[in-house]
Amino acid sequence: MYDMTIQLRTDAGKRLYEQIYEHIRQEIREGKLLAGERLPSTRYLAEYLQVSRSTVDCAYDQLLSEGYIEARPYRGYFVCSLEDMLDIRMEESGSVPASPRQGDEEGALREEGKAQENCSRDAEEGLWQSVCGRKGRADCLYDFSPNGIDMSAFPFGVWKRITRDILNDANGELLSQGEPQGDYDLRLTISRYLHSSRGVNCSPEQILVGAGNDYLLMLLEKLLGKGKRIVMENPTYKRAYRIFHSFDYEIVTVDTDAGGMLVSGLQETRADAVYVMPSHQFPTGAVMPIGRRTELLRWANQVPDRYVIEDDYDSEFRYRGKPIPSLQASDQGGRVIYIGTFSKAIAPAIRVSYMVLPQELLERYLRCCFFYSCTVSRIDQRILNEFIGRGYFERHLNKMRKRYHAKHDLLLECLKPFETAFSLSGEDAGLHILLRARGNATEEELLGAAAKRGVKVYGLSESLVKTPGSEHGTVLLGFGALNEREIEAGAALLQEAWL
Amino acid sequence: MYDMTIQLRTDAGKRLYEQIYEHIRQEIREGKLLAGERLPSTRYLAEYLQVSRSTVDCAYDQLLSEGYIEARPYRGYFVCSLEDMLDIRMEESGSVPASPRQGDEEGALREEGKAQENCSRDAEEGLWQSVCGRKGRADCLYDFSPNGIDMSAFPFGVWKRITRDILNDANGELLSQGEPQGDYDLRLTISRYLHSSRGVNCSPEQILVGAGNDYLLMLLEKLLGKGKRIVMENPTYKRAYRIFHSFDYEIVTVDTDAGGMLVSGLQETRADAVYVMPSHQFPTGAVMPIGRRTELLRWANQVPDRYVIEDDYDSEFRYRGKPIPSLQASDQGGRVIYIGTFSKAIAPAIRVSYMVLPQELLERYLRCCFFYSCTVSRIDQRILNEFIGRGYFERHLNKMRKRYHAKHDLLLECLKPFETAFSLSGEDAGLHILLRARGNATEEELLGAAAKRGVKVYGLSESLVKTPGSEHGTVLLGFGALNEREIEAGAALLQEAWL
């Protein structure tokens, strides 16, 4: 076992667990810790470093989440195999965003895939609605929608004050059309936020501001071109699936497991692009480990004009450890298109999303799509920019993270009686968790029994592109829009229904 | 000459000229006035009806604008040939909007066109920017941008008050995503406004609210499908041209004259759709006469799945006579897609446009595109709805119409000295007029001479898809964003430059 000498500093502005996590990560990256090597037990390391055991637990959890280490039952923690790793760097928060040129050199490895997977396009007609509040609740007592978010804490007062200030200072310029990519000030603010919170390396010039992810994907279609073949995770975010389907893109799916997309399945797809949610897969909640991320980026670099669309839709809400770094942070070849939104973190009504283009696509945008005018009003852009710039966004995020954390913990507590009959996954992040029947109960049976008691839960199959026909029904329980009383009451009814 | 017996009523709630206009239009429609028949002179009719001559002038102007009659030099006014006319009806303002089902029966005449026109796609790289205010003005003294609008009169106070009221009353619902087509209340308000002001027959169900025309056209692409052939006027609105080009649509152009698109040229195009601005063509300012409108609709009805995209971008601003009715008002076959915007009438920053779908496309939308979320925030939709509903929009429009009218008249006055060297067109509506050199001055020379004196004017060629290589330079002079002093000073400099 390797000698763990870590210089812990209490004045470093970093918490102890972060220092431990970063030290071990660094050792792994530099090859000082080799694949297969066993880490000291948490108890041993805690004693050695004179810190609490939970501090070491936190550090190991983070390394686990990001795929640097793995836990083997009864044996301990071992370093994962990363021999194919690209030079993964997570920029330190607070430093200057990199110039867009940085990602310009691409490994132009060409390799043609071998097989061609045909995709079964399901022609679902059913309405898959984002249910927040009223609509969903009207026909049931408790709606565990995975898309529900808590809007009771929206800072109306602040929003109103900022709006008033902006309209007071306004002149004709504010009413004019503005830059197609979005106001520079807002893009600068977003680039700084993404850098410090998600490790995204970009300049404001690379950012497109748009009214929702759907619109940004439509714009992306103009950049990628027609008739492309795109890989999606199965299950995946069905709205995105429908959008790519409406582009007439050929959609190929690759299955997922606890580490997200089974990236090894990409080779034979010969696809032009892949749509992934590596930091928090919807709906499984999986975090893609570092090894797969590396493999994914390598695949993207194999042929020119192949891209990874990273949808980082709710990375703000993580209740354990540090946020998982974005895939874009590791992208050296300019292959990652990063998409994010303020819909979850503030409110869907805000209608502001952003897309970070790698250099090549940015040039294509400036050449071919410069004339599409920005879909977000300048007044709204200015309000959002002030909201972030004056520190309200961070405060709001912290508040929401606490609220959601409390609801998350409460729901887990309420679900304890379910543990013998169900396995639980997707916890520790996001706004929903998954329950999978250990027995033969089908999804339909579970949904039906819940509905009879006035509880709406959501089936995993709604997110499936290809149905694998699992006999174990799996349901999603979203907790964002419910308050504590509703979570308890809803869970009690589910207990009646299922146990 | 036909006997003109008109029952004029002073208590009819309609102005005298409107009653005369409507009477004659009715006579023409009912065949009581036949093609080629001569109308009484304005002096004669004025004496006969005991009204002022200007009243009759107004009525005749309106009939002229709409193509019911034509003026022959030294001979008088004659009824136009309308034998192919469909049943054109302009609904009376204030009545209930028709159900969407009304336009359901389509004349399924099929006729294949004969020739196939190839389109020369210009690969312009230049940035064709919408210049409002600052940007354009920075590099010149006076910017006669045809896209400039007057934002000094924007009712910030009212806007602020409405915003405050809405945020005061707000709850979680306002922050949720809302309906994909836009909030029903706003769609109802828009449908009423369109009906009373533009004769558009539609229910709220047919309306899609979106963040700008560009986005709505992107959505329309999903409804029309890929690889379509579309006809545009030449010259046309270049942004729309660029957008269709980015769809990889084959673009065929048809020339224009004083009556807008030369609709007879459509037959041989065998196109799937046509994009027109019949009420006020950009940039020529032409109004499409009734005969051509009829021919256009007949062409659209010849084969299934053929559509007319009517861009009614600035119909609010007409300084003479009544507004020209929309083409959609005459559409009995469900062939017209009507697009309008609040960008001109309120401000580009508002970012709210709307698209009225005919029944068949609406069904396609509900089947294939229901999942695209609305691009306008609910807060903004609510503000706009209140702004219109509380009567502020109408007041604002009236104010702006007066302002623009005054600027329009002033500019015409300032351009009087130009009359020997230039012919003027595109007056009486919109926010710009055109000057065409009678001599051999090229557009480049005119722009260059103006620029030397610090005046920015815009060449017609910017709007041309196919350059006909005219020797007579034509420039656009927009007056929207300039104040009276600037118009006078700018025109004086142009006089130095060109005369």
Side-chain angles (χ1 to χ4, degrees):
Chain A
M1 203 172 67
Y2 114 112
D3 176 37
M4 187 69 73
T5 313
I6 308 182
Q7 302 295 331
L8 292 180
R9 297 170 54 185
T10 48
D11 61 339
K14 274 190 182 149
R15 302 209 285 186
L16 291 174
Y17 92 88
E18 285 184 90
Q19 297 181 49
I20 299 168
Y21 150 78
E22 283 178 5
H23 177 86
I24 299 176
R25 192 184 60 170
Q26 195 60 26
E27 300 275 293
I28 295 173
R29 286 178 174 183
E30 291 173 0
K32 292 178 187 161
L33 268 168
L34 294 173
E37 208 160 334
R38 184 162 161 260
L39 291 185
S41 75
T42 53
R43 197 173 59 178
Y44 174 87
L45 189 59
E47 276 173 18
Y48 180 83
L49 295 174
Q50 294 290 299
V51 298
S52 79
R53 196 162 157 192
S54 66
T55 298
V56 179
D57 278 339
C58 271
Y60 278 25
D61 276 354
Q62 188 71 26
L63 291 164
L64 270 172
S65 303
E66 297 182 13
Y68 287 99
I69 63 174
E70 57 185 343
R72 297 186 194 157
Y74 310 111
R75 297 202 46 218
Y77 296 95
F78 292 80
V79 176
C80 292
S81 160
L82 300 171
E83 54 181 19
D84 303 325
M85 202 162 88
L86 293 176
D87 178 25
I88 305 284
R89 271 181 299 169
M90 171 82 173
E91 296 292 326
E92 294 311 312
S93 131
S95 62
V96 180
S99 120
R101 292 275 158 197
Q102 197 166 305
D104 226 351
E105 328 101 48
E106 58 174 296
L109 301 170
R110 279 162 204 256
E111 191 180 288
E112 295 282 321
K114 270 138 211 148
Q116 177 170 343
E117 188 182 337
N118 277 316
C119 138
S120 70
R121 289 185 184 165
D122 57 350
E124 294 152 50
E125 299 293 316
L127 203 76
W128 192 74
Q129 268 196 317
S130 148
V131 187
C132 324
R134 195 186 60 148
K135 205 151 201 173
R137 293 188 192 189
D139 37 328
C140 64
L141 294 169
Y142 306 109
D143 185 347
F144 283 90
S145 166
N147 301 303
I149 70 173
D150 186 345
M151 288 179 289
S152 64
F154 182 80
F156 279 113
V158 166
W159 204 262
K160 222 158 42 186
R161 210 157 58 236
I162 293 178
T163 307
R164 191 193 56 208
D165 291 353
I166 282 169
L167 290 177
N168 277 340
D169 295 345
N171 52 29
E173 200 204 320
L174 184 67
L175 299 172
S176 68
Q177 192 141 277
E179 294 170 70
Q181 289 185 240
D183 280 3
Y184 189 86
D185 289 350
L186 177 60
R187 287 187 279 138
L188 182 64
T189 301
I190 291 174
S191 74
R192 284 178 177 156
Y193 165 68
L194 289 180
H195 188 69
S196 67
S197 74
R198 309 291 302 121
V200 169
N201 292 307
C202 71
S203 67
E205 284 76 16
Q206 287 173 272
I207 294 180
L208 301 187
V209 171
N213 288 19
D214 303 4
Y215 168 73
L216 290 174
L217 289 177
M218 280 168 115
L219 204 53
L220 185 59
E221 183 202 7
K222 305 291 169 233
L223 299 176
L224 296 179
K226 296 196 187 301
K228 297 293 175 185
R229 180 183 299 157
I230 189 162
V231 179
M232 300 189 82
E233 294 150 320
N234 187 39
T236 187
Y237 183 48
K238 210 53 173 289
R239 184 194 293 278
Y241 169 79
R242 290 212 169 85
I243 288 170
F244 290 124
H245 188 63
S246 79
F247 297 168
D248 279 343
Y249 278 11
E250 186 185 344
I251 301 169
V252 184
T253 58
V254 165
D255 285 337
T256 58
D257 65 7
M261 177 179 272
L262 290 162
V263 174
S264 55
L266 280 174
Q267 276 309 334
E268 56 186 26
T269 63
R270 290 174 54 191
D272 305 294
V274 56
Y275 171 89
V276 281
M277 296 166 276
S279 299
H280 187 233
Q281 210 270 345
F282 188 89
T284 65
V287 176
M288 188 179 282
I290 190 73
R292 283 199 193 166
R293 290 177 180 228
T294 306
E295 203 178 334
L296 179 56
L297 291 174
R298 207 156 33 98
W299 173 81
N301 277 298
Q302 275 173 5
V303 293
D305 216 26
R306 183 184 267 177
Y307 292 98
V308 179
I309 304 165
E310 175 180 23
D311 188 350
D312 203 23
Y313 68 105
D314 76 346
S315 50
E316 288 86 359
F317 302 119
R318 191 151 189 91
Y319 315 121
R320 235 175 128 172
K322 296 209 320 170
I324 306 297
S326 69
L327 181 68
Q328 203 269 6
S330 311
D331 177 28
Q332 300 290 306
R335 299 289 110 196
V336 174
I337 298 149
Y338 178 91
I339 295 182
T341 177
F342 291 103
S343 287
K344 290 262 175 192
I346 302 180
I350 300 307
R351 299 275 76 200
V352 182
S353 294
Y354 42 85
M355 177 160 71
V356 180
L357 293 180
Q359 194 60 25
E360 251 177 86
L361 287 183
L362 177 63
E363 282 162 16
R364 207 177 292 169
Y365 165 82
L366 292 172
R367 211 166 48 237
C368 309
C369 290
F370 63 90
F371 46 83
Y372 281 107
S373 38
C374 185
T375 42
V376 185
S377 93
R378 295 191 80 177
I379 297 173
D380 291 352
Q381 291 187 58
R382 193 76 65 93
I383 294 170
L384 179 59
N385 191 41
E386 289 293 309
F387 186 72
I388 303 171
R390 296 191 199 168
Y392 293 115
F393 181 53
E394 201 180 334
R395 261 174 271 173
H396 180 65
L397 268 186
N398 286 336
K399 184 168 68 178
M400 295 316 294
R401 206 178 283 123
K402 265 185 212 139
R403 282 198 175 215
Y404 288 139
H405 197 163
K407 292 183 184 189
H408 164 270
D409 289 355
L410 175 63
L411 179 60
L412 287 189
E413 189 62 34
C414 293
L415 293 178
K416 281 231 164 104
F418 292 68
E419 276 176 9
T420 46
F422 293 87
S423 62
L424 192 141
S425 62
E427 69 275 30
D428 296 340
L431 305 179
H432 73 275
I433 58 106
L434 292 93
L435 280 187
R436 182 166 182 267
R438 295 187 198 273
N440 293 327
T442 65
E443 180 186 303
E444 207 183 336
E445 287 162 359
L446 293 172
L447 265 59
K452 267 192 196 144
R453 280 165 178 83
V455 182
K456 191 157 184 180
V457 297
Y458 294 75
L460 178 69
S461 67
E462 282 193 35
S463 303
L464 287 170
V465 179
K466 282 196 302 192
T467 317
S470 163
E471 63 284 18
H472 304 288
T474 304
V475 296
L476 280 62
L477 296 182
F479 52 83
L482 299 174
N483 64 33
E484 276 73 1
R485 193 196 56 75
E486 292 169 322
I487 290 173
E488 286 175 333
L493 288 172
L494 288 179
Q495 201 171 339
E496 289 176 25
W498 295 343
L499 297 182
Chain B
M1 204 171 69
Y2 118 111
D3 177 37
M4 187 68 74
T5 313
I6 309 180
Q7 302 294 332
L8 292 180
R9 296 169 55 184
T10 48
D11 62 338
K14 273 189 182 150
R15 302 210 286 187
L16 292 174
Y17 93 88
E18 285 185 89
Q19 297 182 48
I20 299 169
Y21 151 77
E22 283 178 4
H23 177 86
I24 298 176
R25 192 185 58 170
Q26 196 60 25
E27 301 276 292
I28 295 172
R29 286 176 174 185
E30 292 173 359
K32 292 177 187 163
L33 266 170
L34 295 173
E37 210 161 334
R38 183 162 165 260
L39 291 185
S41 73
T42 52
R43 196 170 61 176
Y44 174 87
L45 189 60
E47 274 172 19
Y48 180 82
L49 296 173
Q50 293 290 301
V51 298
S52 79
R53 196 163 156 192
S54 68
T55 299
V56 179
D57 277 339
C58 272
Y60 279 25
D61 277 352
Q62 189 71 26
L63 292 163
L64 270 172
S65 304
E66 297 183 13
Y68 287 98
I69 63 174
E70 57 185 342
R72 297 187 194 156
Y74 310 112
R75 299 201 45 218
Y77 296 94
F78 292 81
V79 176
C80 291
S81 162
L82 301 171
E83 55 182 17
D84 304 323
M85 203 161 88
L86 293 175
D87 178 25
I88 305 285
R89 273 181 300 170
M90 171 80 173
E91 297 290 325
E92 294 310 312
S93 131
S95 63
V96 181
S99 120
R101 290 276 158 197
Q102 198 168 304
D104 228 352
E105 328 102 48
E106 54 170 302
L109 303 170
R110 281 163 200 258
E111 193 183 286
E112 295 281 321
K114 273 140 210 148
Q116 180 170 336
E117 188 183 336
N118 277 314
C119 140
S120 70
R121 289 186 183 165
D122 55 351
E124 295 152 48
E125 298 294 316
L127 204 75
W128 193 73
Q129 267 196 317
S130 149
V131 186
C132 325
R134 194 186 60 148
K135 204 153 199 172
R137 294 190 190 186
D139 36 330
C140 63
L141 294 168
Y142 306 110
D143 185 348
F144 283 90
S145 165
N147 301 304
I149 71 173
D150 184 344
M151 288 179 288
S152 63
F154 183 81
F156 278 113
V158 165
W159 204 262
K160 221 158 40 185
R161 210 156 59 234
I162 294 178
T163 306
R164 190 194 56 208
D165 291 354
I166 283 169
L167 290 177
N168 277 342
D169 294 346
N171 54 28
E173 200 205 321
L174 184 68
L175 298 173
S176 69
Q177 191 142 274
E179 296 171 70
Q181 291 184 238
D183 279 3
Y184 190 85
D185 289 349
L186 177 60
R187 286 187 281 137
L188 182 64
T189 301
I190 291 174
S191 73
R192 284 177 177 155
Y193 165 68
L194 289 181
H195 187 69
S196 67
S197 74
R198 311 289 303 121
V200 170
N201 292 307
C202 72
S203 68
E205 284 75 15
Q206 287 172 271
I207 294 180
L208 302 188
V209 171
N213 288 18
D214 303 2
Y215 169 73
L216 289 174
L217 289 176
M218 281 168 115
L219 205 52
L220 184 60
E221 182 202 7
K222 305 293 169 230
L223 300 176
L224 296 179
K226 297 197 185 300
K228 297 293 176 185
R229 181 183 301 158
I230 190 163
V231 180
M232 301 190 81
E233 295 152 318
N234 187 43
T236 189
Y237 183 48
K238 209 55 172 289
R239 183 194 294 274
Y241 169 80
R242 290 214 167 84
I243 288 170
F244 290 123
H245 187 65
S246 79
F247 296 169
D248 279 342
Y249 277 12
E250 186 185 345
I251 300 169
V252 184
T253 58
V254 165
D255 286 337
T256 58
D257 64 8
M261 177 180 272
L262 289 162
V263 174
S264 56
L266 281 175
Q267 278 308 335
E268 59 186 24
T269 63
R270 291 175 54 191
D272 304 293
V274 56
Y275 172 89
V276 280
M277 296 166 274
S279 299
H280 187 232
Q281 209 271 345
F282 188 90
T284 65
V287 176
M288 188 179 281
I290 190 74
R292 282 197 195 167
R293 288 176 182 230
T294 306
E295 202 180 334
L296 179 56
L297 291 174
R298 206 155 35 94
W299 173 81
N301 277 297
Q302 276 173 3
V303 293
D305 217 26
R306 181 184 268 177
Y307 292 98
V308 179
I309 304 165
E310 175 180 21
D311 187 348
D312 203 24
Y313 68 104
D314 77 345
S315 51
E316 288 87 0
F317 302 118
R318 192 152 186 91
Y319 314 120
R320 235 174 128 175
K322 298 208 318 168
I324 306 296
S326 70
L327 181 67
Q328 203 269 4
S330 311
D331 177 29
Q332 300 291 305
R335 298 290 109 195
V336 175
I337 298 149
Y338 178 90
I339 296 182
T341 176
F342 290 103
S343 287
K344 291 262 176 190
I346 303 180
I350 299 307
R351 297 275 76 197
V352 182
S353 293
Y354 42 84
M355 177 159 72
V356 179
L357 292 179
Q359 194 58 26
E360 251 178 86
L361 287 183
L362 177 62
E363 281 163 18
R364 205 176 293 168
Y365 165 82
L366 293 171
R367 212 167 48 239
C368 309
C369 290
F370 63 88
F371 46 83
Y372 282 108
S373 39
C374 186
T375 42
V376 185
S377 95
R378 294 191 81 178
I379 298 173
D380 291 351
Q381 292 187 57
R382 194 75 64 95
I383 294 171
L384 179 59
N385 191 41
E386 290 292 309
F387 186 73
I388 302 172
R390 295 190 198 170
Y392 294 115
F393 181 52
E394 203 181 331
R395 261 172 272 171
H396 180 65
L397 269 186
N398 286 335
K399 184 169 69 179
M400 295 316 294
R401 207 178 281 122
K402 265 184 213 139
R403 281 199 177 215
Y404 288 140
H405 196 162
K407 292 183 184 186
H408 165 268
D409 290 355
L410 175 65
L411 179 59
L412 287 188
E413 188 63 36
C414 293
L415 292 179
K416 281 232 164 104
F418 293 69
E419 278 176 7
T420 46
F422 292 87
S423 62
L424 190 141
S425 63
E427 68 275 33
D428 298 338
L431 304 180
H432 73 275
I433 58 111
L434 292 93
L435 280 186
R436 182 167 183 267
R438 296 187 197 273
N440 293 327
T442 64
E443 181 185 301
E444 206 185 336
E445 287 163 358
L446 293 172
L447 265 59
K452 268 193 197 145
R453 278 165 181 83
V455 183
K456 190 157 185 179
V457 296
Y458 293 76
L460 178 70
S461 67
E462 281 192 36
S463 303
L464 288 170
V465 178
K466 282 197 302 195
T467 317
S470 163
E471 64 284 16
H472 303 288
T474 304
V475 296
L476 280 62
L477 295 183
F479 52 83
L482 300 173
N483 64 31
E484 276 73 1
R485 194 196 56 75
E486 291 169 325
I487 290 174
E488 286 176 334
L493 289 172
L494 287 179
Q495 201 171 338
E496 286 176 26
W498 295 344
L499 299 181

